[in-house]
Structures are given as structure tokens and as C-alpha cells.
Amino acid sequence: MPTFSLASIKKIYFKNKLKFLELGFLSLFLAFLPSLEAPKNIFLAGYLITALYRQSQLPPSKWTIWDWVFLSLIFSSFLSALFPFMAGGSEWKGFRGMLLWITFGWTLFRTDYNEKEKKYLFIFAILMTIPPLLWGLTQLLILFTKDSLQLHSVGHVNHSAIYLCMVAGAALSLLLSQLQSTHKKYIFITSLLFIFLISSVIISQSRGAFGIVFLLAFALFLLSKLPIKIKTIYVVLLSIFLINIVFIKPAPVIEKQITNQNNHDILSQRDKVWRSALEVARLNPLLGIGGGNWKQINIDQLKSSVESRGEKFVTEDFALQWGHPHNIYLSNLVDRGILGLIIFLSFMFIWLITLINSYKKFNQDSKALLFIMGSFSAWTTIFGIGFVNTTFHHENALLALFFLGLHLSYLRQKNQLKLFS
């Protein structure tokens, strides 16, 4: 675990006050990311201004494929805002959101933080999830002022569960990196932290997050550098626990799904939302309707689109009452069109290739594995839950890009960013 004494801070940062300010803004941003909206935005702006200024004073570094990826994501969002299906909606607000999220990840990727600083930020991001999570549990289980588990700034239960899934994966990554440490107290603390976070995902009753967090846990155990016997023990224990809460004494999230199946509504009407999304995508196939304009679409526009092809429109087969298409891939298709979807899929593919290359190169290095597994947790959550929810926006996009940024920054400093050797 990284430790920072007052003396060490003075020694390291006395001659580099701007970097200290930058890390301070970033820390405060991470502290408020799941908690409070206004402070989060203020400290994010402070971090970006400070980091971009400080990076402008450093010698220019080599342009990499990841710079092109980040630029492409911003450019596709800009085009969909410039040429939307319906002008005057929320397309520029949607662009500003994408610009902010990607700039954050891009800036973090180009930082010069050392390993100790990156590890501190990694741990701090996990720990700062605890206060809003405790408050959310208090509201749900004690005060009864909420009917679902929510992180205050993240909001809706499904979005909060996505955030918790990423953080649970990061906590397990931290635990696995500590297992061969001589500091047994850290192992105990990180074990409790992971158990608490994965339990919170179960309590959230988000079915997508429930499935992915267990797949992620199994994957992280299997990919760790632990001996085979130890891996087997952990996997067996996790399997027994999973069998118990699914088959023997079903958890509420399982009972919820059984109820939906009995009501012949396995997807909770997501099929109707997805059908609507595919129809909306026809309105401007190449560049989409513009980020944030989903709420501007009405049922009459869908009806006109369907009937223009000589097909019968059945109102009950479509749904627009939710704020997004409940699928990250359809969201990209709707908001940014075919071009935006291709760029987003390329982003996810390049991220996956980077993870595979990193693991091959550093699978015996516990320091590197911490950042690789944290990044893998973010990728798995965005990719997996993305099939049933919109995972790459607002706080969840920022958290995912935080873990990706730390991973890429580590690789950049090791000169290991080539996709194909």
C-alpha cells in the first residue's frame, strides 16, 4: 500500500507545486465523483485545466494509436452534433459530455505520474465509493427513503450498480495484488472491501451487474498470478456461494428475474426499447440523431418511419418512455450513427487488444497487474452490461476512463503501447 507522510510530500512536491495541485484536484474529483454533482464538476474542471497546462510545458511526446482513438471518439460525436436528424435539441449538450469524458481519459493517459502516485489514485477511487454507498444502504435499509440502492451522484439503481461493479473488480484486483504481500492486515482489509462491494451489487438487484460482477470475479481469480491450488480454492468457494444464492436460497435479484419470467417479460420490455432504437437509427443512419436527442423522439415519428416502408405499425411493440435505449451499442448507433458505432466498437476492440498484450507482457508483475486488472474490470463492465444498459456515460464513463487512463499511462511510460509487434 502506498504511504504518504508530510515529510515525503514536502520532499517530493516542494519543487513541483503544480503537479501537487493537479493531484489534489484529481483526488478531490475522485472523492466527489459518486457523491456530489457540483463539487465533482468543479474539481474535474480544475484538474483538466491544471493537467493540460502542465502537460503543455513538458516536451512533446510521441503520438500513438490511443491518441487517434480518443480523437476519433470526440470527432464522431462532433459530427453527430453538427449534422443531427433534428437540430435544436440536446445534441451539443451530448457532444460536450463526450468531449469532457474523453478529454479526461486522454489527459490521464498522458500524465507523468509514477507508480506510487498511480497506485494511490487507484486505491483512493475505491475508498471514496464507500461513503455514498453507506448512505445509499442507509436510505434503502434503515430510513426507507429509497426503494433501491443508489449512489447519490450516480443516480438510478442500474447506473449505480454499473459503478459498483467496476469498483468491485478494482477492489478484487487490489486484493490479488496484495495476496503475496507480507502485510496481512492489508489482505484482510481488501478482502472485506471486496466482499462488501460485491454484496452491494447483489443488494442492488441489477441483473446485468449481478451476472457480470461474478463473471469478472471468476476471470480475475483465473488470470491472477496465484498458484493453481489457491486459484482453485477461491474459484470453488465463489462457485459454492453463487450456487447458494441462485439455486438453494435465491437472492432477491434472482427472485426478481423468476417473477419476470413467470410474467413472460424476461427482458423487462427492453426488446421494445431496442426495437424502437433500431427504428430511430433509420432516421439518420450515418451520423445519428445527436447525443441526448433520444428524448425528443415521439411515437408518431416511429409510426411514420415504419409505415413509409409499407409495414404495419403496432404501438405495443415499441417503447420510448425510458431515457436511453438500454444498450450501449444501440445508444451509439442512435446518437452517432453507423460511423459512431464503428468508432466505439473499434475503441472497445483496441482496448481489449491492449489488455491482452499487457497481460502477456506483465502477467508476473503484481504492480503492473493492478492497473491491467483495474482496466479489465472497467472493460468487462462496459462491454458486458452494455448489452442490457447504457454503460458509457456520465460517472460510469469517467470511472471507466480513469482505470483505462492509469493502465495506458503505465504502458506509455514502459513504451509498451504497440498493438502488434
Side-chain angles (χ1 to χ4, degrees), residues 50-217:
T50 309
L52 289 171
Y53 173 76
R54 197 171 68 84
Q55 288 180 24
S56 71
Q57 306 302 302
L58 299 174
S61 56
K62 184 180 178 181
W63 194 268
T64 70
I65 188 170
W66 272 102
D67 293 293
W68 288 112
V69 169
F70 290 133
L71 181 62
S72 298
L73 286 165
I74 292 172
F75 185 65
S76 70
S77 184
F78 174 74
L79 286 179
S80 69
L82 194 62
F83 304 106
F85 168 72
M86 52 197 327
S90 303
E91 61 273 5
W92 288 108
K93 181 179 179 182
F95 167 68
R96 287 195 300 271
M98 181 63 77
L99 176 64
L100 185 67
W101 310 330
I102 300 303
T103 302
F104 170 70
W106 198 351
T107 303
L108 195 58
F109 155 55
R110 287 191 158 267
T111 56
D112 60 348
Y113 305 152
N114 58 43
E115 286 183 19
K116 186 174 288 189
E117 290 165 340
K118 282 197 272 279
K119 187 172 183 180
Y120 151 72
L121 290 168
F122 190 101
I123 296 171
F124 190 74
I126 298 171
L127 294 179
M128 288 302 99
T129 308
I130 304 304
L133 177 54
L134 289 173
W135 175 241
L137 289 168
T138 300
Q139 288 181 304
L140 175 66
L141 302 175
I142 299 175
L143 300 177
F144 306 109
T145 55
K146 295 283 186 181
D147 59 3
S148 59
L149 178 58
Q150 298 181 24
L151 301 176
H152 184 74
S153 185
V154 182
H156 190 276
V157 57
N158 287 333
H159 299 160
S160 293
I162 293 165
Y163 195 101
L164 289 171
C165 186
M166 276 189 273
V167 176
L172 180 54
S173 304
L174 180 62
L175 170 61
L176 293 173
S177 73
Q178 298 292 325
L179 280 177
Q180 295 181 332
S181 167
T182 54
H183 302 290
K184 301 303 179 184
K185 64 178 180 180
Y186 293 146
I187 297 174
F188 178 72
I189 293 170
T190 49
S191 297
L192 287 180
L193 189 59
F194 169 65
I195 292 169
F196 178 54
L197 288 165
I198 198 171
S199 299
S200 298
V201 174
I202 297 170
I203 291 170
S204 75
Q205 296 189 40
S206 173
R207 290 159 294 168
F210 175 84
I212 292 301
V213 79
F214 277 98
L215 284 175
L216 178 57

Side-chain angles (χ1 to χ4, degrees), residues 6 11 53 76 82 101 110 161 200 221 267 292 299 308 325 369 388 396 406:
L6 184 60
K11 181 179 179 181
Y53 173 76
S76 70
L82 194 62
W101 310 330
R110 287 191 158 267
S200 298
F221 276 122
L267 296 172
I299 201 73
S308 69
L369 277 177
V388 293
N396 291 326
L406 290 182

Side-chain angles (χ1 to χ4, degrees), residues 9 14 27 29 69 75 78 82 93 95 112 121 123 165 171 197 237 241 251-252 257 286 321 325 344-345 350 356 415:
I9 289 173
F14 183 76
S27 298
F29 161 70
V69 169
F75 185 65
F78 174 74
L82 194 62
K93 181 179 179 182
F95 167 68
D112 60 348
L121 290 168
I123 296 171
C165 186
L197 288 165
L237 289 174
F241 175 68
Q257 181 60 23
L286 182 60
Q321 63 264 43
F344 181 77
L345 290 174
I350 292 170
I356 293 171
N415 197 26

Side-chain angles (χ1 to χ4, degrees), residues 97 121 142 145 165 261 296 366 409 418:
L121 290 168
I142 299 175
T145 55
C165 186
Q261 289 176 205
Q296 312 293 329
S366 59
S409 175
K418 287 184 179 180

Side-chain angles (χ1 to χ4, degrees), residues 265-284:
D265 188 20
I266 296 175
L267 296 172
S268 298
Q269 299 193 45
R270 280 178 171 80
D271 52 331
K272 296 181 180 182
V273 184
W274 297 339
R275 191 176 294 112
S276 299
L278 290 171
E279 199 60 46
V280 171
R282 291 174 179 266
L283 300 177
N284 192 14

